[in-house]
Amino acid sequence: MTLQTEQQLEAESIDQNRLDRQMIVILDFGSQYSELIARRIRETQVYSEVLSYRTTVAQLRQLNPKGIILSGGPNSVYDTGAPQCDQAIWSLGVPILGVCYGMQLMVQQLGGGVERSELAEYGKASLSIDDPTDLLTNVEDGTTMWMSHGDSVTRLPDGFELLAHTANTACAAIAHHDRKLYGVQFHPEVVHSIGGLALIRNFVYHICHCEPTWTTDAFVEEAIREIRARVGDKRVLLALSGGVDSSTLAFLLYRAIGDQLTCMFIDQGFMRKLEPERLVKLFRDQFHIPVAYVNARERFLAQVQGVTDPEVKRKRIGHEFIRVFEEESRRLGPFDYLAQGTLYPDVIESADTNVDPQTGERVAVKIKSHHNVGGLPKDLQFKLIEPLRKLFKDEVRKVGRSIGLPEEIVLRQPFPGPGLAIRILGEVTEDRLDILRDADLIVRQEINRAGLYNELWQAFAVLLPVRSVGVMGDQRTYAYPIVLRFVSSEDGMTADWSRVSYDLLEIISNRIVNEVRGVNRVVYDITSKPPGTIEWE
């Protein structure tokens, strides 16, 4: 059997697993909430995928979804060049739910009318239910739903009925019960829509007749089967960062293929205090997963010497990572596969993959920045294996927990690939790294002691490259300030500064000033994202 034939059989097997799974397809028309719709459906333990609105009916038939959701979008359906779906979709015989733009497109293509509203509607609105059955079963009359539209349905297509309205929107929810076509003018997927999850459950369970089969245990079993079928007796290399994604992937791969897996951890010298040592000890000694530790601290520090521009800093760290990775992979290899912790949001948003024209295999040309800090050279032609690419972040945490990943890693807060190098503004030096490591350790200790670590999206310290005058022990000091950055967020896309207690801030400030040499001032960042970013560089 040729390699190409083996690969084709593997692909067919994996595709068949996908086709055998009950699923809801979301056709994306450019909504900022399309990914969130998929997440909400996954929360009902039903598999969902986000696809382009250009997906044809023939492609949809091949996928055999139990239901289809048309997302919202920024356009008006009557605009020239507005995105349109394949009109044959209405004859598929599959339940369809249109959300905002998706509802308006449904109405327009089926002969109804959509026009610009005299009164646009944004934000919370009270939903008055006219038909409490089917889609709106158990959705409370007067419940709050989140609106975001400047257009409205002015005429329903033949056979459609009104399900609900609001003060400013006559057609807030509609249905053609016989054809199982539904539309809502609001966003049931956002957290502000109080009755939104009940509506989604109605569509998924009662209208599409899905079963809750998308579970953590089912995913783990399927992933292990796929990994074994694809890898066979070949070797796999994983660049381990210590974050939840790469750590979960390491545990999953080791369960599937054992010592055929080699994890490489490149210590670039920019991690938190004692983290590299603890990570290697945890994987090697406690879990017996092979880890090749590469101490490249001096090499990386030399690359950023004298560099103050954050982009130059990132690029130099990235380029050095490429060089170290290339050298070490050749020393440890050969390897047939590179494992990468790509998640489903990366699949939706990213096009950072190539396809081998001869085999059809995806070929790795990049390690994503949330796992490491640079890309791979194009001449390292590993075949890419991405077992987590179907999962959202919260699903990865569930998988990690189910296969024995320690809670300290499962719940680890996001940490940038370049590490502390981008939490030191300006030039990175050994002295500044030591100062920031000590300050960061105090922050983590006190946040944990206060029971806030799992409540905050991120809590960390930043070192500014300026000095200010202070007084300590009746002596004048001239030392660095530390900035505390604590934020709350659901996904990192937006964030708000956290209103932690003054008492906690006082404890952290006193400890840092008293225990960290070279610091005499602590300040708190109260900037949200936007306009700021979570990290300072």
Side-chain angles (χ1 to χ4, degrees):
M1 182 178 292
T2 66
L3 179 60
Q4 186 170 352
T5 303
E6 289 176 345
Q7 292 165 347
Q8 289 171 342
L9 289 175
E10 291 166 5
E12 289 171 5
S13 174
I14 293 171
D15 285 344
Q16 191 58 50
N17 287 333
R18 183 186 189 214
L19 297 179
D20 289 343
R21 186 188 302 118
Q22 291 186 355
M23 67 184 298
I24 302 290
V25 165
I26 297 103
L27 296 186
D28 180 20
F29 290 87
S31 171
Q32 60 180 319
Y33 299 129
S34 295
E35 184 179 309
L36 185 55
I37 298 174
R39 286 180 59 191
R40 291 291 179 255
I41 295 171
R42 300 274 187 97
E43 289 171 10
T44 70
Q45 295 188 319
V46 173
Y47 183 68
S48 61
E49 285 193 13
V50 178
L51 303 176
S52 167
Y53 70 88
R54 296 185 179 91
T55 304
T56 65
V57 164
Q59 291 169 324
L60 289 171
R61 283 200 183 97
Q62 187 177 15
L63 289 173
N64 192 31
K66 298 283 284 185
I68 298 171
I69 295 179
L70 310 183
S71 82
N75 300 93
S76 293
V77 294
Y78 47 76
D79 287 344
T80 302
Q84 304 282 319
C85 63
D86 187 336
Q87 295 204 34
I89 194 174
W90 313 116
S91 301
L92 265 177
V94 174
I96 299 176
L97 171 63
V99 176
C100 290
Y101 181 90
M103 166 178 156
Q104 294 167 8
L105 183 63
M106 176 187 296
V107 167
Q108 184 199 55
Q109 289 194 351
L110 293 176
V114 178
E115 297 178 7
R116 180 168 298 281
S117 305
E118 292 185 7
L119 293 174
E121 197 171 24
Y122 299 96
K124 297 176 181 179
S126 177
L127 187 71
S128 298
I129 297 177
D130 302 292
D131 180 355
T133 62
D134 219 357
L135 187 67
L136 299 180
T137 301
N138 297 324
V139 177
E140 185 178 349
D141 187 30
T143 191
T144 297
M145 293 295 186
W146 186 261
M147 293 284 187
S148 180
H149 67 101
D151 297 329
S152 291
V153 173
T154 56
R155 187 180 72 259
L156 291 177
D158 292 342
F160 277 79
E161 301 174 20
L162 181 67
L163 300 184
H165 65 278
T166 69
N168 291 342
T169 302
C171 298
I174 62 174
H176 192 304
H177 293 292
D178 293 339
R179 299 177 65 181
K180 295 189 180 300
L181 303 179
Y182 304 86
V184 293
Q185 187 57 73
F186 48 85
H187 287 277
E189 69 275 15
V190 303
V191 68
H192 308 293
S193 291
I194 305 303
L197 188 55
L199 184 150
I200 290 172
R201 286 179 176 274
N202 288 336
F203 181 72
V204 170
Y205 290 144
H206 305 310
I207 294 172
C208 297
H209 303 295
C210 291
E211 298 291 334
T213 57
W214 178 248
T215 64
T216 299
D217 289 344
F219 169 80
V220 171
E221 291 176 6
E222 179 183 315
I224 288 174
R225 285 197 305 269
E226 290 186 3
I227 292 167
R228 288 173 177 168
R230 183 159 185 206
V231 171
D233 60 355
K234 303 298 192 298
R235 297 184 67 199
V236 178
L237 176 64
L238 168 64
L240 185 66
S241 70
V244 63
D245 301 340
S246 67
S247 298
T248 298
L249 183 52
F251 269 56
L252 185 64
L253 287 165
Y254 192 69
R255 179 175 290 192
I257 60 174
D259 290 342
Q260 292 169 240
L261 169 69
T262 296
C263 295
M264 182 197 297
F265 174 69
I266 298 175
D267 183 359
Q268 85 290 57
F270 304 138
M271 293 193 72
R272 297 171 173 133
K273 192 166 188 174
L274 302 179
E275 270 195 337
E277 297 83 356
R278 174 159 179 74
L279 176 69
V280 173
K281 183 177 178 60
L282 186 70
F283 274 78
R284 280 181 181 171
D285 299 346
Q286 186 171 341
F287 300 110
H288 310 293
I289 297 176
V291 177
Y293 172 77
V294 180
N295 187 342
R297 295 181 181 185
E298 292 185 3
R299 291 181 58 166
F300 279 91
L301 191 59
Q303 286 297 317
V304 296
Q305 185 175 3
V307 176
T308 59
D309 183 275
E311 285 306 307
V312 175
K313 191 188 299 183
R314 283 178 178 271
K315 287 178 180 178
R316 287 201 178 186
I317 293 172
H319 291 159
E320 188 63 20
F321 178 85
I322 291 173
R323 286 190 284 269
V324 175
F325 186 93
E326 183 176 20
E327 291 170 13
E328 295 300 321
S329 63
R330 287 175 177 167
R331 180 179 66 84
L332 296 168
F335 296 98
D336 296 277
Y337 288 93
L338 172 69
Q340 183 167 299
T342 306
L343 303 190
Y344 194 49
D346 305 319
V347 175
I348 296 173
E349 299 168 5
S350 176
D352 290 329
T353 56
N354 287 343
V355 176
D356 188 312
Q358 294 184 334
T359 67
E361 286 273 2
R362 299 177 69 243
V363 180
V365 295
K366 181 177 181 182
I367 288 183
K368 292 187 178 295
S369 60
H370 59 284
H371 296 124
N372 288 291
V373 293
L376 293 176
K378 294 181 180 180
D379 59 347
L380 283 179
Q381 295 296 311
F382 296 112
K383 285 169 283 189
L384 193 61
I385 184 167
E386 300 171 302
L388 305 182
R389 69 192 314 270
K390 302 170 185 174
L391 302 184
F392 289 103
K393 191 78 167 186
D394 57 326
E395 293 174 315
V396 173
R397 295 187 193 279
K398 291 177 183 176
V399 169
R401 188 175 285 118
S402 74
I403 58 178
L405 198 66
E407 284 294 297
E408 65 180 280
I409 297 180
V410 170
L411 298 175
R412 185 177 186 259
Q413 292 181 356
F415 188 68
L420 299 180
I422 61 167
R423 290 181 179 173
I424 296 173
L425 273 65
E427 183 182 5
V428 179
T429 66
E430 192 76 58
D431 182 57
R432 290 178 179 180
L433 281 167
D434 288 340
I435 291 172
L436 186 55
R437 282 197 189 95
D438 289 341
D440 175 84
L441 181 61
I442 292 171
V443 169
R444 287 185 287 138
Q445 288 174 340
E446 294 302 332
I447 289 296
N448 275 311
R449 190 170 288 128
L452 293 177
Y453 184 86
N454 296 336
E455 295 182 18
L456 300 174
W457 178 262
Q458 280 177 264
F460 58 90
V462 175
L463 177 68
L464 299 186
V466 296
R467 298 190 186 192
S468 65
V469 173
V471 177
M472 299 175 72
D474 294 327
Q475 297 290 323
R476 176 185 181 274
T477 63
Y478 191 56
Y480 292 111
I482 288 290
V483 179
L484 303 181
R485 181 66 161 148
F486 301 169
V487 298
S488 301
S489 178
E490 288 191 2
D491 54 14
M493 299 301 293
T494 61
D496 194 13
W497 63 277
S498 300
R499 275 71 168 173
V500 297
S501 72
Y502 291 156
D503 290 341
L504 176 60
L505 293 176
E506 182 180 25
I507 291 170
I508 294 173
S509 176
N510 286 341
R511 282 198 61 192
I512 289 176
V513 170
N514 286 318
E515 298 176 29
V516 181
R517 176 190 53 82
V519 176
N520 66 355
R521 192 179 299 273
V522 176
V523 299
Y524 191 57
D525 182 350
I526 60 169
T527 312
S528 297
K529 175 188 178 181
T533 56
I534 295 178
E535 299 288 347
W536 275 50
E537 284 193 347

